[in-house]
Amino acid sequence: MDLTYTPAQQAFRTQVRDWLAEHVPAERLPSFDTAEGFEAHRAWERTLKQGDWGMVTWPEAYGGRGADLIEWLIFEEEYFRADAPGRVSQNGIFLLGPTLMEYGTEAQKARFLPAMAAGDEIWAQAWSEPGAGSDMAAIRTRAMRDGDAYVINGQKIWSSRAVFADWCFGLFRTDPDSSRHKGLSMILLPLNSPGITIRPIAQLDGDPGFAEIFFDDVRVPAENLLGPEHGGWGVAMATAGFERGLMLRSPARFQKTAERLVTLCRARGANVSAQTRALVVQAWMDAQAYCYSTYQTAGKLMNGGAVGPETSCNKVFWSELDRLMHRTALSILGAAGELDAPQAADEARWLDGYMFSLAGPIYAGANEIQRNIISERVLGMPRA
Amino acid sequence: MRFAYSDDLGALKEGTRAFLDGQNPPERLRREGGLELWPALEDMGLVDIAASLPLAEAIALFEEVGRTALPEPLADTAVIAAPLLQSLGAAGRRPQGARVAICHADAPYANHADTADFILLLDAQRVVWLARDAAKLVSVRSIDPWRRLFSVTGQGDTLAEGDAAREACAYAAALGATAAAAELLGLADRMIDLAVVYAGTREQFGQAIGSFQAVKHLLANARVKLEFARPVVYRASAALDSPVAVSHAKIAATDAALFAAEQAIQVHGGMGYTYEADLHYFMKRAWALAGVWGSREQHLAVVEQAVLDGGIAIGPHNSFES
């Protein structure tokens, strides 16, 4: 155990902090679930790229800076400290990127990763279907091989920001005679392909952050297959591992929310009950616990270890923590909590954040599914 | 920055687990006899473990001790008294292998004082070293059949007074709370295991009850709590001079263990409420350790004051500042 940062790590932190202080927009950007906000966030991604901060852990050849996981954690800590804009490219950089690193051909990596890190191509995920949500193996949308192309027919849903994004990575049934987990493939395709229709779905906050994607004889070059044909389930599980594991939600995000909650609690002083103060302290402790856990996982990976199904614990923990923190803030705020002005004062961000926190236990695999994974694959309990 | 113990500790933990699983199985707990494992613990190097391992790692090893609810009060001697005597320049007072019972404001009853060689009496004014023969012991019953508690009085040698005593008292509290937290992690893990095994064999409606989601999710929740208590305890073991880190660890481990106990007894159904199922030995140890070395309330006050009254730097850029 060595819980101090090396001089090089401290210098890295200073470098990140200084750059962010100079470049983070003074005003909060509009929500990236709107057309205007999406483009504003894309512009921010390009600014990040100019500083070579697009995806710090990636190799330089793919638009990164070859940072290790501790440096990544430091970057994230400074990023949230600076209240920098949310990552509109998150589905690409945090989920598809690592999957490409593992399963992509050299040509695919060279083609897709640098544009992803630069914000030039923003990715949406096309996995869920109306009949395949938690039961993802029920996917029916087909991608049939026809010469040097796949022809896709069917429908995807809950695809975040697909209305605005450039590409999607989808899971399709490539073997028509297969069922369940077998016969699926991961395919990458541009969202402006002929035959694609995208219909926005207004989210809880009214923004068109979700979409349905309809595929009507959409032709995709066969070279856009990621990983083995009919082996897409394994590829998707690797992606889901990144999603639930380290990348999607770094601890800094929750430490920042906990800090805001503590600040709010302090400002309201004697008006906050002992019971609520205890919840605020619990929130701070849990955010710290998630931080220590992530440093521990980083240490394990850097020592050549691997992470397994226990990453499902992460997703349950942070999503319920996030909901608790926002609910606690709202109980302190009273009437001010209702105000809908996401660009205004900190007070007005809590209800917006609370709404999003309600999605946390649902997206990236509902928490009930995570609990099934924990009980069956971590604890070894019998399958139903 | 390296949040990981050495490979050596990993191997030692495995060895200790195998040893304790063999020597201290539930059948032994059920016999409710004496502390006959002391010589074997000494042979294993566990009684003087603080002399051969960094203290943080020695404390982490107590997760394995908790896992089998070891009756011998190993922590009191190995990771509380030994480092404490060392810090007072009084290591020579304790012959190698000698057992020490402890009496402290946060742990007022000395566990197994009747078979200890020495007793350490600590308060903020004075640290006293007492041979067992010179102590007057009055027995107090614990709910845990393996904890033999005594209130202690007697005249001994003063090892520290004034500021030095206050510091020693605080150091003992940090060591005690962190070691108890490590044991609580092991207890939580074991109680989850016992419930998993029970749910895998007990059948209702024609199938193992462990195949029902309602049962699975109780234990999945317990596992999540444990998963995020462990790194907090590891952190504290390497930051004993941070009262916030230590208090956080005691709270997190207590919550994980008490929650695991509640889920485990529920999964055991009526059997969980009997003296016949092994679970109660682990639950009772968890309840005992939840209370000693600082109540949850006491530790929460430490964290609350630091966090809400501005005593520590918080925020994402201050991950290890508390």
Side-chain angles (χ1 to χ4, degrees):
Chain A
M1 292 287 257
D2 176 7
L3 304 184
T4 55
Y5 296 101
T6 64
Q9 286 164 343
Q10 286 168 347
F12 180 79
R13 182 185 292 282
T14 305
Q15 193 188 355
V16 178
R17 186 175 295 188
D18 291 349
W19 189 89
L20 288 169
E22 203 174 315
H23 292 87
V24 170
E27 286 207 1
R28 293 185 66 76
L29 303 182
S31 163
F32 58 29
D33 293 329
T34 63
E36 179 201 3
F38 189 88
E39 287 312 316
H41 281 80
R42 187 201 290 274
W44 165 248
E45 288 295 325
R46 289 183 168 139
T47 306
L48 270 177
K49 172 61 192 154
Q50 282 163 20
D52 272 333
W53 301 110
M55 199 53 208
V56 295
T57 54
W58 291 4
E60 285 173 36
Y62 301 134
R65 54 166 67 216
D68 66 21
L69 287 173
I70 299 297
E71 288 168 326
W72 172 70
L73 283 163
I74 293 170
F75 173 78
E76 289 283 309
E77 288 169 354
E78 292 302 318
Y79 196 86
F80 281 93
R81 175 186 176 273
D83 228 347
R87 303 299 299 272
V88 70
S89 56
Q90 55 184 281
N91 292 72
I93 55 178
F94 296 145
L95 307 181
L96 177 60
T99 314
L100 267 165
M101 255 9 132
E102 196 167 319
Y103 287 96
T105 62
E106 274 314 312
Q108 285 175 330
K109 289 187 223 177
R111 162 65 187 83
F112 293 116
L113 291 173
M116 198 184 289
D120 290 333
E121 288 173 348
I122 294 182
W123 289 76
Q125 190 174 357
W127 291 14
S128 296
E129 296 181 6
S134 285
D135 182 12
M136 204 171 71
I139 281 174
R140 290 166 60 191
T141 299
R142 289 184 178 189
M144 292 298 105
R145 189 70 182 252
D146 178 24
D148 58 356
Y150 290 100
V151 180
I152 306 178
N153 281 285
Q155 180 192 354
K156 295 288 178 182
I157 195 170
W158 311 128
S159 193
S160 291
R161 292 173 289 284
V163 185
F164 314 115
D166 308 297
W167 282 70
C168 74
F169 54 108
L171 198 56
F172 304 102
R173 194 159 294 285
T174 40
D175 175 359
D177 300 324
S178 66
S179 70
R180 307 295 300 161
H181 311 80
K182 300 192 177 83
L184 299 170
S185 299
M186 186 80 75
I187 295 172
L188 317 175
L189 67 152
L191 283 166
N192 63 2
S193 304
I196 285 187
T197 307
I198 300 175
R199 189 182 80 83
I201 303 173
Q203 296 179 153
L204 191 57
D205 60 6
D207 292 338
F210 288 143
E212 284 178 290
I213 309 175
F214 299 91
F215 300 82
D216 187 9
D217 283 333
V218 177
R219 287 187 77 83
V220 180
E223 69 197 32
N224 285 15
L225 172 74
L226 175 59
E229 186 175 51
H230 308 325
W233 183 264
V235 182
M237 287 305 99
T239 307
F242 299 126
E243 187 171 32
R244 291 159 196 166
L246 276 184
M247 288 289 170
L248 182 65
R249 297 287 180 251
S250 71
R253 177 190 180 103
F254 306 104
Q255 290 172 290
K256 178 67 179 188
T257 307
E259 183 187 23
R260 287 175 53 222
L261 182 58
V262 166
T263 305
L264 175 66
C265 181
R266 280 179 189 160
R268 298 299 174 105
N271 294 323
V272 182
S273 71
Q275 185 193 12
T276 301
R277 285 167 64 90
L279 288 175
V280 172
V281 173
Q282 188 69 51
W284 178 83
M285 288 193 293
D286 286 352
Q288 286 297 109
Y290 184 48
C291 162
Y292 303 149
S293 167
T294 307
Y295 270 89
Q296 190 184 8
T297 304
K300 193 170 159 189
L301 291 171
M302 289 166 76
N303 281 349
V307 293
E310 71 276 4
T311 56
S312 284
C313 293
N314 290 1
K315 204 268 168 160
V316 171
F317 190 77
W318 61 246
S319 61
E320 296 183 0
L321 166 62
D322 202 35
R323 192 171 56 183
L324 167 77
M325 291 196 286
H326 286 87
R327 187 171 61 228
T328 305
L330 290 172
S331 85
I332 297 174
L333 278 173
E338 182 194 5
L339 303 179
D340 182 16
Q343 287 165 270
D346 189 72
E347 281 187 349
R349 289 168 63 192
W350 285 106
L351 187 58
D352 197 50
Y354 180 58
M355 284 194 280
F356 189 62
S357 79
L358 295 176
I362 301 169
Y363 65 72
N367 284 11
E368 288 65 35
I369 299 298
Q370 308 304 330
R371 291 187 167 95
N372 288 350
I373 295 171
I374 295 162
S375 53
E376 289 168 10
R377 296 180 51 206
V378 179
L379 297 178
M381 297 181 78
R383 297 181 67 96
Chain B
M1 176 60 65
R2 185 172 171 278
F3 198 116
Y5 288 118
S6 63
D7 294 344
D8 289 354
L9 181 70
L12 188 57
K13 279 184 87 167
E14 270 176 40
T16 305
R17 180 182 293 204
F19 167 76
L20 291 174
D21 279 343
Q23 298 295 310
N24 188 47
E27 298 76 58
R28 183 215 171 186
L29 295 179
R30 273 183 240 133
R31 284 198 296 273
E32 299 189 8
L35 303 185
E36 69 274 6
L37 277 189
W38 273 118
L41 295 169
E42 205 181 328
D43 288 347
M44 279 289 288
L46 293 173
V47 177
D48 286 285
I49 192 72
S52 56
L53 271 189
L55 188 53
E57 302 202 346
I59 290 172
L61 203 56
F62 278 77
E63 199 176 338
E64 302 306 330
V65 170
R67 236 189 150 272
T68 63
L70 181 71
E72 283 75 8
L74 187 60
D76 293 4
T77 297
V79 289
I80 303 174
L84 192 74
L85 289 169
Q86 183 83 36
S87 76
L88 291 169
R93 293 272 183 165
R94 179 182 158 259
Q96 195 177 350
R99 301 168 215 166
V100 185
I102 295 176
C103 198
H104 182 281
D106 290 343
Y109 305 112
N111 191 16
H112 290 287
D114 57 334
T115 53
D117 300 304
F118 298 95
I119 299 162
L120 255 178
L121 294 169
L122 298 112
D123 63 35
Q125 280 80 47
R126 241 155 55 98
V127 178
V128 174
W129 181 247
L130 196 59
R132 199 244 345 261
D133 297 343
K136 182 171 180 299
L137 305 180
V138 179
S139 171
V140 185
R141 253 179 91 91
S142 166
I143 182 72
D144 178 345
W146 280 101
R147 280 170 63 85
R148 284 173 58 80
L149 304 180
F150 297 90
S151 60
V152 181
T153 48
Q155 299 294 316
D157 298 343
T158 298
L159 298 184
E161 285 179 294
D163 285 348
R166 199 163 35 251
E167 274 172 34
C169 205
Y171 186 41
L175 290 164
T178 312
E183 286 194 52
L184 285 162
L185 295 179
L187 286 160
D189 199 23
R190 183 61 172 275
M191 289 188 281
I192 295 169
D193 278 358
L194 289 170
V196 165
V197 169
Y198 184 81
T201 50
R202 167 70 177 164
E203 292 192 0
Q204 284 288 273
F205 307 102
Q207 51 189 308
I209 62 168
S211 64
F212 299 130
Q213 276 190 331
V215 173
K216 279 183 178 160
H217 289 193
L218 297 179
L219 299 180
N221 288 339
R223 175 60 188 234
V224 171
K225 253 197 182 350
L226 173 59
E227 195 74 13
F228 290 94
R230 192 176 278 125
V232 177
V233 177
Y234 288 180
R235 158 88 213 285
S237 73
L240 292 169
D241 55 349
S242 161
V244 172
V246 169
S247 288
H248 185 185
K250 182 75 187 330
I251 292 167
T254 296
D255 289 355
L258 298 189
F259 188 76
E262 289 181 1
Q263 309 317 302
I265 191 172
Q266 184 69 20
V267 169
H268 276 77
M271 279 307 294
Y273 198 69
T274 68
Y275 211 89
E276 288 171 38
D278 297 327
L279 178 65
H280 77 97
Y281 289 108
F282 301 89
M283 290 200 295
K284 288 167 182 170
R285 185 65 50 80
W287 296 330
L289 293 181
V292 294
W293 293 115
S295 66
R296 191 182 192 285
E297 206 58 26
Q298 193 177 322
H299 288 296
L300 192 59
V302 170
V303 182
E304 179 169 326
Q305 196 184 5
V307 171
L308 295 186
D309 299 344
I312 53 168
I314 66 170
H317 54 297
N318 289 313
S319 292
F320 293 93
E321 290 301 309
S322 59

